Amino acid sequence: MNIYISNLSYGVNDADLNELFAEYGEVSSAKVIMDRETGRSRGFGFVEMSVEEDGQKAIDELNGVEYDGKVINVNVARPREERPSYNNNRGGGRQGGGGYNSRRY
């Protein structure tokens, strides 16, 4: 089961998440999402648990609990939505003119 955790303190790391959820069962992976530019936590993360019942128990018991000074939100992670690819639309805007002042003499 993939679990989404939000409103994490910026000091929480992967090991902290692993330790928190390990109380409820076997943790396959725990990952705090980091900002690429600053290297700082973005305040949310994901935990993968092997047994669905353990994951549901963790969600039920940890959602709305204060952890490291902040009240965390714990839910089942939704599948990642496909984002439209903008790579083929370089220049992004008018294609072929036709706008104001397009016919200059």
Side-chain angles (χ1 to χ4, degrees):
M1 167 179 262
N2 198 8
I3 301 169
Y4 171 71
I5 306 96
S6 63
N7 203 36
L8 289 171
S9 167
Y10 293 121
V12 174
N13 60 34
D14 298 351
D16 296 330
L17 270 187
N18 194 340
E19 184 179 322
L20 177 65
F21 280 82
E23 295 178 31
Y24 300 94
E26 184 181 338
V27 175
S28 304
S29 68
K31 183 76 178 154
V32 174
I33 305 305
M34 307 302 274
D35 186 278
R36 286 185 208 154
E37 293 178 21
T38 65
R40 186 175 149 194
S41 167
R42 293 189 58 198
F44 69 94
F46 296 92
V47 170
E48 183 78 34
M49 295 190 76
S50 307
V51 179
E52 187 140 349
E53 291 79 20
D54 294 344
Q56 189 58 55
K57 182 174 171 126
I59 290 170
D60 294 341
E61 294 193 19
L62 291 174
N63 187 38
V65 169
E66 185 175 323
Y67 180 69
D68 200 38
K70 294 186 85 173
V71 176
I72 60 173
N73 301 305
V74 183
N75 299 294
V76 174
R78 295 190 310 250
R80 190 172 193 177
E81 294 179 10
E82 288 295 318
R83 294 183 180 179
S85 174
Y86 295 107
N87 293 341
N88 295 336
N89 190 12
R90 296 176 193 213
R94 293 183 262 178
Q95 302 278 336
Y100 179 77
N101 265 349
S102 65
R103 293 185 190 173
R104 295 188 117 180
Y105 294 95

